[in-house]
Amino acid sequence: MIRSSTALTNFHSGSKLNVIPNECWVTFNHRLHPDDNKDDVISYYDRVFKKLGEEENIKFEIMTSYLDPSKVSSLESMGGQLITNAIFSVYDDVVALPGLLIGNTDSKHFQAICDQIFRFSPNRLHMSDTTRYHGPDERISLDSYEAMINFYY
């Protein structure tokens, strides 16, 4: 992730093809880079929509599930070293590298009590696997499933 991103994920308006709707609503989803924060995003929308709202009667609200990006965890920490060692005990032909998980996981519930949170899934992905995430036929290969079992046991 090079920078924060924004995606229009929902857009709802009229119900008939030949009638101009009197209202619509949109939902934007943000994936924030660790160097950014939710207050900057809210401030940006506040500036943009305040001006538009005065001209075009546009209103906006912030959903309560909006979170700052998670802290960056270190592979040099005790937890990072334990995970790295476990990786090498199961996978003998890999390099352990840090990455940024941009999805919202249950780990958000632990941020107040943990300094280091690792979002890790010990599976091997091939390019053909990546198209199945959150899509039709979502699954992992049997080889990857077996390696995950070996990782934890």
Side-chain angles (χ1 to χ4, degrees):
M1 176 177 237
I2 297 170
R3 63 183 179 90
S4 293
S5 65
T6 302
L8 179 93
T9 56
N10 287 303
F11 186 97
H12 297 271
S13 63
S15 59
K16 296 190 176 219
L17 296 175
N18 63 342
V19 177
I20 297 173
N22 61 352
E23 68 178 18
C24 74
W25 62 269
V26 298
T27 302
F28 293 99
N29 181 277
H30 299 280
R31 303 296 169 108
L32 298 183
H33 187 277
D35 291 338
D36 293 332
N37 64 66
K38 69 179 178 184
D39 293 333
D40 289 342
V41 174
I42 292 169
S43 176
Y44 171 78
Y45 279 107
D46 196 34
R47 287 190 316 272
V48 169
F49 286 117
K50 184 174 183 178
K51 182 178 180 183
L52 282 173
E54 292 167 357
E55 297 171 4
E56 303 292 336
N57 192 27
I58 294 176
K59 300 173 190 158
F60 80 104
E61 67 181 78
I62 304 300
M63 297 171 64
T64 58
S65 62
Y66 209 95
L67 300 171
D68 275 325
S70 58
K71 299 172 192 167
V72 176
S73 301
S74 171
L75 284 180
E76 302 303 317
S77 68
M78 182 179 71
Q81 290 298 305
L82 287 170
I83 292 172
T84 300
N85 292 338
I87 291 169
F88 292 139
S89 72
V90 174
Y91 303 101
D92 58 1
D93 60 343
V94 299
V95 175
L97 296 172
L100 183 62
L101 177 66
I102 59 173
N104 192 6
T105 68
D106 287 342
S107 64
K108 65 186 173 196
H109 301 294
F110 300 99
Q111 291 187 68
I113 60 171
C114 298
D115 290 334
Q116 303 284 318
I117 299 174
F118 294 91
R119 297 150 195 90
F120 177 74
S121 179
N123 59 16
R124 286 189 168 197
L125 294 178
H126 302 282
M127 286 307 292
S128 61
D129 297 323
T130 61
T131 61
R132 291 193 299 266
Y133 272 0
H134 299 309
D137 200 21
E138 183 173 15
R139 60 185 159 80
I140 61 173
S141 70
L142 290 176
D143 290 340
S144 186
Y145 182 64
E146 180 182 8
M148 288 175 69
I149 293 169
N150 290 333
F151 179 86
Y152 288 113
Y153 295 102

